[in-house]
Amino acid sequence: MIRFDSDYVSHAHPRILTRLQETSGEQNQGYGEDVHCDRAKAYIRTACAAPDADVHFLVGGTQANTTLISAILRPHQGVISANTGHIACHETGAIESTGHKVLEVPGIAGKITPLLIRKVYDDHWADAAHEHLVQPALVYISHPTENGTVYTLPELEAISAICREKGLPLMLDGARLGYGLAASGTEVTLPDLARLCDVFYIGGTKLGTLFGEAVVICNPQYKQDFRYLIKRHGGLLAKGFLLGIQFECLFEDGLYFDLGQHGVSEAMRIRKAVLDAGLPLQYDTSANQQFPRVPDALARELAKEFAFLSWEKPNETETVLRFCTSWATRSEDVDALIGALRRG
Amino acid sequence: MIRFDSDYVSHAHPRILTRLQETSGEQNQGYGEDVHCDRAKAYIRTACAAPDADVHFLVGGTQANTTLISAILRPHQGVISANTGHIACHETGAIESTGHKVLEVPGIAGKITPLLIRKVYDDHWADAAHEHLVQPALVYISHPTENGTVYTLPELEAISAICREKGLPLMLDGARLGYGLAASGTEVTLPDLARLCDVFYIGGTKLGTLFGEAVVICNPQYKQDFRYLIKRHGGLLAKGFLLGIQFECLFEDGLYFDLGQHGVSEAMRIRKAVLDAGLPLQYDTSANQQFPRVPDALARELAKEFAFLSWEKPNETETVLRFCTSWATRSEDVDALIGALRRG
Amino acid sequence: MIRFDSDYVSHAHPRILTRLQETSGEQNQGYGEDVHCDRAKAYIRTACAAPDADVHFLVGGTQANTTLISAILRPHQGVISANTGHIACHETGAIESTGHKVLEVPGIAGKITPLLIRKVYDDHWADAAHEHLVQPALVYISHPTENGTVYTLPELEAISAICREKGLPLMLDGARLGYGLAASGTEVTLPDLARLCDVFYIGGTKLGTLFGEAVVICNPQYKQDFRYLIKRHGGLLAKGFLLGIQFECLFEDGLYFDLGQHGVSEAMRIRKAVLDAGLPLQYDTSANQQFPRVPDALARELAKEFAFLSWEKPNETETVLRFCTSWATRSEDVDALIGALRRG
Amino acid sequence: MIRFDSDYVSHAHPRILTRLQETSGEQNQGYGEDVHCDRAKAYIRTACAAPDADVHFLVGGTQANTTLISAILRPHQGVISANTGHIACHETGAIESTGHKVLEVPGIAGKITPLLIRKVYDDHWADAAHEHLVQPALVYISHPTENGTVYTLPELEAISAICREKGLPLMLDGARLGYGLAASGTEVTLPDLARLCDVFYIGGTKLGTLFGEAVVICNPQYKQDFRYLIKRHGGLLAKGFLLGIQFECLFEDGLYFDLGQHGVSEAMRIRKAVLDAGLPLQYDTSANQQFPRVPDALARELAKEFAFLSWEKPNETETVLRFCTSWATRSEDVDALIGALRRG
């Protein structure tokens, strides 16, 4: 079985595994207060052109989302998200567990727009009984989105502008950020994110590490006491230096960007094969997820050899599949998939 | 200004005020452990033909909803509600404050259907990753709904049947229940509710009391330790006997049903006047709320003399208004409104 | 049975009941946005010499405590309280329900001291691992305390001073405040509270109203969006005007202070009778609660005629009893108790 | 600097690092649904002689505690713990973040007794107002405790017996369990834990893994939907197979027990050196933590060469230090410490 079902089926990039081996004789202080974390933070600040940002390493994405959102909101406030956003539908209510409502808006292929944000904001404040409603106070986006799409720089700038106009902080979930940075059709860079977002995170789990997400807090208002909040949510890894070592390795010489590029290149080969086979793409994506709509018979045929997700069932005879590549995807595996698509 | 903006603009029914006066020389034990509460509970059990039900008195509806829902659900579970349900949109995230997600379905004029419930349930369990989703584990309906509509007995029986088939407890918000019981086009009675629901409550605030909602727990599974949960949510009124006295008065000789009938009768007069004036009704309601769609000019004219809510703005030139009657509505006030509608 | 078991066994002061009767023909806007609330707020601001304070009316004390504490604290912060404080032991974990730990210190007859506050604060920040501990960020006191004791003005000033030095807001639970203001041995006034506390509340439930606590927010930092938080915690009474009417009545001409004085006077008569009978007082109290330590035989004898609480069992042969007077205590009932104490 | 400040300063045991390397070419399903997790669970069930137990792998201890406690308790219930317990004082209120109060009892060198449990239980239910109190509904112990002490088998059996008598589930925090199993003076085994506890966990982070705690649910009542709760608390590691691989390695041939033995042996050498130097031990411990009470001058001298914790300051001239050994402690480092203690 060749796995395209997710981008977390493989351990870690060989250089990271080697580095863990090389450093295994060390003794380091716990809870992220070690030299590796310090160096990794410095690399990330540089990569983001954000010398004053705070950087924290957490183990996973749900943790990062929950900790950030509950750090920013007051109890009666909620977070605006696409209804397809990870926090809206794939975290078993982790955001609600901190008391906050996810204010869902209909995403457009996973993306939200300034208009949608403005509407939620204006509707709230126009309501005479607004004190009876959850107050919108944060905007959550992901890049790439759960539908594989990416924001263009103008789109992101427009979202940031409406957020600042309305006093809504902007948070970006970058679980797959490396693939978004490498995607064609978008010029968004890390410094853009640091400039346009209040907080965001750089995903490692899906981009070469065993685990780990690097949270970047750009807005000084949200820096205070953040380590308390990580600990409270069970996210302060005892051996935090393991996170430092891995992110050091990713960012000391640009490995992170190379890994993203690899995942995207392989995804683009799948994309081309899908289109060449005359199959439609449900979402027009340029990052590491491809969503062909295929006849059910073909879906069954492909399932004999490949693992993938059945994403949606738009009609009686077709299924939308999700193929996910990653930093670890082997070209020969993609070749096999291309062959199977050609055979139809 | 004649008020039709809500059903909680008046104190309490004269008989209740008199009874409070008459009993004012008494000394009673606190926290609802007094003879008045005992008697009121007995009357309510009888009215519901539910001799084994537990009855508790809480101050308000948001409290009742929050306490019941958090008593029933485990942390990872959510409650299915129409997107127009009170818990979904008018309680400032009180349900989320207890950690639970409201799983919204598109209501049909405020009502939900067995089909909608089945879909949420089946979609959840059909998802291979269902452990990443909030588990649907309770169904919330209101009767009358926030849109003034009511369930027929067959509708309610069908909802109860699907809930029992799927193991989902059914909860009914009866903040306006007295008007629902008096509504034409539905034969639902208190014994029906006790038979078909796991828990429900009988609203007093909108039906003649100063405040107070009588929670009825029919399913023995949800009885244990409920008073702890009331206290924890700040709902255990120190002078609980005030609730007992008021509900005693409502249920000792059927006053509750008379009050509901009065509110509905006056609402029906408004309904007839609206239709006579050739104005459409946005929702087809038979309880105490009427939602005429009127030209904006008429809305402005009416606003000079009457208080009401602007409910929706369906188009550029019209507004849907909400007129709310109650046990306290004076016939001469309705006459005035009818006159104004006639003048157009 | 003559009741001295609590100060919430009676309805409301006759003037309040009459006022409710007199205003019963009115129609008022809901949720506390009515003229009665406006007037009551103005009276309270004047009584507190705090023209800029925000005043809100809530139904009960647990609600007031929960709403205030969760409004002030960030998620990782806790509230310092005497271990005998109401929030520490008599609210079924309502504070914890909002995610906050009560940081208990050993109270001295229910009171805390600047030294205790300083120690909690210093211990926290001196700990190298303080991010693993709940951060102390609020001080909660009650006046009178649950043990019936009161703070002197110098004591309260010293507590306020350490709180301001350390950046800890100070909150005062005034469920029995009227009796504290009337107590001998303390000169604390409402303007003192407004000057020394960040937030406090003036209890009505135990001082002449059917229900209701008036929250006073002195520190502008805690004013924003407070009505959202009241609603979220189920505390926004639909018929908020009932609270306004009652507090108007209490504060328009000083009734509140008279009621407190009455409760204290009757308590002082009990105190004298206890001491005359040669019985010790467990706590030296000057407000409306008296705690004689009596032989068990006497306790059993008294229980035939009087309701009171058995507070503590300090040894095999004696029990500490609590007798509670109130605005409603009848002198003849106190006479009867005095007689019984004399008989021994 | 030689580190004795904690038992999580080193990466992972060489065999585990090698195993991670060896398996790095694999593709595995995510979220713990892989063959490694399956095998590791089977090994652990066998080691515990608990063929029906459910086993789950979480990343860290705070996560394990929070997830378990919030899975077991209803909202109004609390967990009994020594006041020195990790959940009581070193998790930044993680338990309170789920709404539950930690009911602290004074630990005896970190341990609690049947008498303490009985007292909390009986006091609660004897209180006429118990519905105003948090209901004790779970007992939390750790083995070894935070003070390095261990329970004997008879002690643990007595605690389990009182818990079962009172209907209180028993939970054991085994973050350092391997050292407890190897400690002298206690015969407690994994099968004993499975027999006596309702839930417990086997710590990996401090015993040879990079991270990871194996939760064992013995009581079927607490098994349902546990994976939802892990996800909700951010504990469902995407690459769950990494946990499986590590625990497989620990339990396939008894490595876990060897690692515990090594840590304890080195600790015993420190213990002997302390006593030989005529220094008292603050706690009488037989596991991997030693707490000598030393003159401040000696503490300062030792700090030049060794990292350790300053645990308590019992008087003006002495400090209690904590020295922590682990599976990774080098004998030559212990030799160096012994030398330093000898020199005094």
Side-chain angles (χ1 to χ4, degrees), chain C residues 55-87:
Chain C
V55 181
H56 300 275
F57 300 110
L58 278 80
V59 170
T62 297
Q63 244 174 40
N65 288 332
T66 307
T67 307
L68 280 168
I69 291 171
S70 70
I72 292 172
L73 295 180
R74 292 188 64 206
H76 60 294
Q77 297 178 326
V79 51
I80 299 173
S81 164
N83 54 1
T84 50
H86 207 260
I87 59 167

Short mmCIF file of all heavy atoms in Angstrom, two decimals, chain C residues 55-87:
data_model
loop_
_atom_site.label_atom_id
_atom_site.label_comp_id
_atom_site.label_asym_id
_atom_site.label_seq_id
_atom_site.Cartn_x
_atom_site.Cartn_y
_atom_site.Cartn_z
N VAL C 55 -22.44 50.30 37.66
CA VAL C 55 -23.24 49.49 38.57
C VAL C 55 -24.06 48.50 37.74
O VAL C 55 -24.62 48.87 36.70
CB VAL C 55 -24.18 50.37 39.42
CG1 VAL C 55 -25.01 49.51 40.38
CG2 VAL C 55 -23.38 51.41 40.20
N HIS C 56 -24.08 47.24 38.16
CA HIS C 56 -24.88 46.20 37.50
C HIS C 56 -25.64 45.43 38.56
O HIS C 56 -25.12 45.22 39.66
CB HIS C 56 -23.98 45.22 36.74
CG HIS C 56 -23.15 45.84 35.67
ND1 HIS C 56 -23.61 46.05 34.39
CD2 HIS C 56 -21.88 46.32 35.68
CE1 HIS C 56 -22.67 46.62 33.66
NE2 HIS C 56 -21.61 46.80 34.41
N PHE C 57 -26.83 44.98 38.22
CA PHE C 57 -27.63 44.21 39.17
C PHE C 57 -27.67 42.75 38.76
O PHE C 57 -28.08 42.42 37.64
CB PHE C 57 -29.05 44.78 39.26
CG PHE C 57 -29.06 46.21 39.71
CD1 PHE C 57 -29.42 47.23 38.84
CD2 PHE C 57 -28.67 46.54 41.00
CE1 PHE C 57 -29.41 48.56 39.25
CE2 PHE C 57 -28.67 47.87 41.43
CZ PHE C 57 -29.03 48.88 40.55
N LEU C 58 -27.27 41.89 39.67
CA LEU C 58 -27.33 40.45 39.43
C LEU C 58 -28.26 39.81 40.46
O LEU C 58 -28.57 40.43 41.48
CB LEU C 58 -25.94 39.82 39.53
CG LEU C 58 -25.10 39.94 38.25
CD1 LEU C 58 -24.48 41.31 38.16
CD2 LEU C 58 -24.04 38.87 38.19
N VAL C 59 -28.67 38.58 40.18
CA VAL C 59 -29.66 37.95 41.06
C VAL C 59 -29.06 37.46 42.37
O VAL C 59 -29.61 37.66 43.43
CB VAL C 59 -30.38 36.81 40.31
CG1 VAL C 59 -31.23 35.99 41.27
CG2 VAL C 59 -31.23 37.37 39.19
N GLY C 60 -27.90 36.80 42.30
CA GLY C 60 -27.37 36.18 43.52
C GLY C 60 -25.87 36.30 43.67
O GLY C 60 -25.16 36.73 42.75
N GLY C 61 -25.37 35.90 44.82
CA GLY C 61 -23.97 36.08 45.17
C GLY C 61 -23.02 35.17 44.40
O GLY C 61 -21.96 35.61 43.97
N THR C 62 -23.37 33.90 44.24
CA THR C 62 -22.49 33.00 43.51
C THR C 62 -22.31 33.49 42.08
O THR C 62 -21.20 33.49 41.53
CB THR C 62 -23.06 31.56 43.53
OG1 THR C 62 -23.09 31.11 44.90
CG2 THR C 62 -22.25 30.61 42.71
N GLN C 63 -23.42 33.92 41.50
CA GLN C 63 -23.38 34.54 40.16
C GLN C 63 -22.46 35.75 40.13
O GLN C 63 -21.66 35.92 39.20
CB GLN C 63 -24.77 35.03 39.83
CG GLN C 63 -25.44 34.38 38.68
CD GLN C 63 -26.87 34.88 38.61
OE1 GLN C 63 -27.16 36.06 38.82
NE2 GLN C 63 -27.77 33.97 38.32
N ALA C 64 -22.60 36.61 41.12
CA ALA C 64 -21.78 37.82 41.15
C ALA C 64 -20.30 37.46 41.27
O ALA C 64 -19.45 37.99 40.55
CB ALA C 64 -22.21 38.72 42.31
N ASN C 65 -19.99 36.53 42.17
CA ASN C 65 -18.59 36.13 42.34
C ASN C 65 -18.03 35.53 41.06
O ASN C 65 -16.93 35.88 40.61
CB ASN C 65 -18.48 35.10 43.48
CG ASN C 65 -18.67 35.73 44.85
OD1 ASN C 65 -18.39 36.91 45.04
ND2 ASN C 65 -19.17 34.95 45.79
N THR C 66 -18.77 34.61 40.46
CA THR C 66 -18.29 33.92 39.27
C THR C 66 -18.09 34.89 38.12
O THR C 66 -17.08 34.84 37.41
CB THR C 66 -19.29 32.82 38.86
OG1 THR C 66 -19.55 31.99 39.98
CG2 THR C 66 -18.75 31.99 37.73
N THR C 67 -19.06 35.77 37.93
CA THR C 67 -19.00 36.69 36.80
C THR C 67 -17.83 37.67 36.99
O THR C 67 -17.06 37.92 36.05
CB THR C 67 -20.34 37.44 36.66
OG1 THR C 67 -21.40 36.48 36.61
CG2 THR C 67 -20.36 38.27 35.39
N LEU C 68 -17.68 38.20 38.18
CA LEU C 68 -16.60 39.16 38.42
C LEU C 68 -15.23 38.49 38.28
O LEU C 68 -14.34 39.03 37.61
CB LEU C 68 -16.73 39.75 39.84
CG LEU C 68 -17.74 40.87 39.98
CD1 LEU C 68 -18.01 41.18 41.45
CD2 LEU C 68 -17.24 42.15 39.27
N ILE C 69 -15.06 37.36 38.91
CA ILE C 69 -13.73 36.73 38.91
C ILE C 69 -13.34 36.32 37.49
O ILE C 69 -12.21 36.54 37.06
CB ILE C 69 -13.71 35.54 39.90
CG1 ILE C 69 -13.80 36.09 41.33
CG2 ILE C 69 -12.47 34.69 39.71
CD1 ILE C 69 -14.03 35.04 42.40
N SER C 70 -14.28 35.74 36.76
CA SER C 70 -13.93 35.32 35.41
C SER C 70 -13.79 36.51 34.46
O SER C 70 -13.18 36.39 33.40
CB SER C 70 -14.95 34.30 34.88
OG SER C 70 -16.18 34.92 34.62
N ALA C 71 -14.34 37.65 34.84
CA ALA C 71 -14.15 38.84 34.02
C ALA C 71 -12.76 39.44 34.20
O ALA C 71 -12.22 40.05 33.30
CB ALA C 71 -15.21 39.89 34.38
N ILE C 72 -12.21 39.25 35.37
CA ILE C 72 -10.94 39.91 35.72
C ILE C 72 -9.73 39.07 35.37
O ILE C 72 -8.72 39.59 34.90
CB ILE C 72 -10.95 40.26 37.23
CG1 ILE C 72 -11.98 41.36 37.51
CG2 ILE C 72 -9.56 40.67 37.71
CD1 ILE C 72 -12.21 41.65 38.99
N LEU C 73 -9.82 37.77 35.58
CA LEU C 73 -8.63 36.92 35.43
C LEU C 73 -8.39 36.45 34.00
O LEU C 73 -9.33 36.23 33.25
CB LEU C 73 -8.78 35.67 36.32
CG LEU C 73 -8.81 35.90 37.83
CD1 LEU C 73 -8.97 34.57 38.55
CD2 LEU C 73 -7.55 36.61 38.31
N ARG C 74 -7.13 36.27 33.65
CA ARG C 74 -6.79 35.52 32.44
C ARG C 74 -6.76 34.02 32.80
O ARG C 74 -6.72 33.66 33.98
CB ARG C 74 -5.43 35.97 31.89
CG ARG C 74 -5.48 37.41 31.34
CD ARG C 74 -4.19 37.77 30.63
NE ARG C 74 -3.98 36.94 29.45
CZ ARG C 74 -2.78 36.65 28.92
NH1 ARG C 74 -1.69 37.13 29.49
NH2 ARG C 74 -2.68 35.89 27.86
N PRO C 75 -6.78 33.14 31.78
CA PRO C 75 -7.00 31.72 32.09
C PRO C 75 -6.03 31.10 33.10
O PRO C 75 -6.43 30.22 33.86
CB PRO C 75 -6.85 31.05 30.71
CG PRO C 75 -7.23 32.09 29.73
CD PRO C 75 -6.77 33.39 30.32
N HIS C 76 -4.78 31.51 33.10
CA HIS C 76 -3.79 30.85 33.95
C HIS C 76 -3.69 31.47 35.33
O HIS C 76 -2.80 31.13 36.10
CB HIS C 76 -2.42 30.94 33.27
CG HIS C 76 -1.99 32.36 33.05
ND1 HIS C 76 -2.63 33.21 32.19
CD2 HIS C 76 -1.00 33.09 33.60
CE1 HIS C 76 -2.04 34.39 32.20
NE2 HIS C 76 -1.07 34.34 33.05
N GLN C 77 -4.62 32.37 35.64
CA GLN C 77 -4.51 33.10 36.90
C GLN C 77 -5.54 32.60 37.91
O GLN C 77 -6.58 32.06 37.55
CB GLN C 77 -4.72 34.59 36.63
CG GLN C 77 -3.63 35.15 35.71
CD GLN C 77 -3.82 36.63 35.38
OE1 GLN C 77 -4.95 37.09 35.26
NE2 GLN C 77 -2.72 37.34 35.23
N GLY C 78 -5.23 32.81 39.18
CA GLY C 78 -6.11 32.40 40.25
C GLY C 78 -6.40 33.54 41.20
O GLY C 78 -5.82 34.62 41.11
N VAL C 79 -7.32 33.27 42.12
CA VAL C 79 -7.77 34.28 43.06
C VAL C 79 -7.41 33.84 44.48
O VAL C 79 -7.68 32.72 44.88
CB VAL C 79 -9.29 34.53 42.92
CG1 VAL C 79 -10.09 33.24 42.96
CG2 VAL C 79 -9.80 35.49 43.97
N ILE C 80 -6.77 34.75 45.22
CA ILE C 80 -6.42 34.49 46.61
C ILE C 80 -7.66 34.69 47.48
O ILE C 80 -8.35 35.70 47.37
CB ILE C 80 -5.30 35.46 47.07
CG1 ILE C 80 -4.04 35.26 46.21
CG2 ILE C 80 -5.00 35.29 48.55
CD1 ILE C 80 -2.94 36.30 46.47
N SER C 81 -7.92 33.74 48.35
CA SER C 81 -9.09 33.81 49.24
C SER C 81 -8.75 33.12 50.55
O SER C 81 -7.94 32.18 50.58
CB SER C 81 -10.29 33.12 48.59
OG SER C 81 -11.31 32.84 49.53
N ALA C 82 -9.39 33.55 51.63
CA ALA C 82 -9.34 32.77 52.86
C ALA C 82 -9.93 31.39 52.57
O ALA C 82 -10.85 31.26 51.76
CB ALA C 82 -10.13 33.46 53.96
N ASN C 83 -9.41 30.37 53.25
CA ASN C 83 -9.93 29.01 53.02
C ASN C 83 -11.38 28.88 53.49
O ASN C 83 -12.06 27.93 53.12
CB ASN C 83 -9.03 27.95 53.67
CG ASN C 83 -8.81 28.22 55.15
OD1 ASN C 83 -9.34 29.20 55.71
ND2 ASN C 83 -8.02 27.39 55.78
N THR C 84 -11.83 29.84 54.27
CA THR C 84 -13.24 29.86 54.70
C THR C 84 -14.10 30.72 53.79
O THR C 84 -15.30 30.84 54.01
CB THR C 84 -13.33 30.42 56.13
OG1 THR C 84 -12.58 31.65 56.16
CG2 THR C 84 -12.78 29.45 57.15
N GLY C 85 -13.50 31.33 52.78
CA GLY C 85 -14.24 32.22 51.88
C GLY C 85 -15.36 31.47 51.15
O GLY C 85 -15.23 30.27 50.87
N HIS C 86 -16.40 32.19 50.81
CA HIS C 86 -17.54 31.56 50.16
C HIS C 86 -17.13 30.90 48.85
O HIS C 86 -17.55 29.79 48.54
CB HIS C 86 -18.65 32.60 49.91
CG HIS C 86 -20.02 32.01 49.87
ND1 HIS C 86 -20.68 31.73 48.70
CD2 HIS C 86 -20.86 31.62 50.85
CE1 HIS C 86 -21.87 31.21 48.97
NE2 HIS C 86 -22.01 31.13 50.27
N ILE C 87 -16.28 31.58 48.09
CA ILE C 87 -15.85 31.02 46.80
C ILE C 87 -14.97 29.79 46.99
O ILE C 87 -14.87 28.94 46.11
CB ILE C 87 -15.08 32.04 45.95
CG1 ILE C 87 -13.83 32.56 46.68
CG2 ILE C 87 -15.98 33.19 45.54
CD1 ILE C 87 -12.88 33.32 45.78
#
